Amino acid sequence: MTLNEQVFAQAALLAGELEGKQADMLKALCAAAAGSLAARLKDGLNPEDCEADFIAAASLFALASLNCVEENGQVQEFKAGDLTVKQGGTAGDTPARCLRWEAERLIAPYLKDCFAFAGV
């Protein structure tokens, strides 16, 4: 299974039931997220070097993008580990922002353009 297929498989699992058009869109968004993240990795790092975190982050980025492009893409409830996203009020793209934030936090130690605390 290729890296893009792994990202899509995880994103689809997290997304739940998808219609045909949504699945196709998610597949394209997964490939774009994986490509974008791979380009941001620190010099000398490959996606395979941080595979689990890379797949998780790329799938969260793709889900955030799907949420933004869907006409009625409001998330009712979404769980990924300790992260839970629920629709709330009229916050607009708050679920998408939350997903992006969690993805950035997860992949930050591996990125050349991002700061993250390694420990204290």
Side-chain angles (χ1 to χ4, degrees):
M1 186 181 283
T2 69
L3 192 64
N4 283 354
E5 291 171 338
Q6 291 176 346
V7 171
F8 174 71
Q10 183 162 338
L13 178 67
L14 294 172
E17 276 190 49
L18 296 172
E19 298 173 9
K21 177 183 169 185
Q22 289 175 316
D24 292 342
M25 191 178 307
L26 183 59
K27 190 174 284 189
L29 292 169
C30 285
S36 176
L37 277 182
R40 294 175 57 199
L41 289 176
K42 290 179 181 177
D43 294 334
L45 273 182
N46 295 314
E48 293 78 16
D49 297 330
C50 52
E51 188 170 7
D53 290 338
F54 184 90
I55 291 168
S59 66
L60 290 174
F61 275 121
L63 288 170
S65 297
L66 182 65
N67 184 260
C68 286
V69 298
E70 284 291 296
E71 294 174 349
N72 295 318
Q74 296 297 320
V75 174
Q76 295 298 322
E77 185 169 357
F78 171 85
K79 291 184 181 184
D82 292 335
L83 170 71
T84 301
V85 178
K86 296 180 182 178
Q87 180 181 359
T90 58
D93 68 337
T94 300
R97 278 186 280 150
C98 185
L99 290 170
R100 280 191 204 100
W101 180 84
E102 187 64 28
E104 283 285 345
R105 189 172 69 92
L106 182 65
I107 198 73
Y110 308 103
L111 300 180
K112 58 185 165 194
D113 61 352
C114 194
F115 175 80
F117 288 104
V120 285

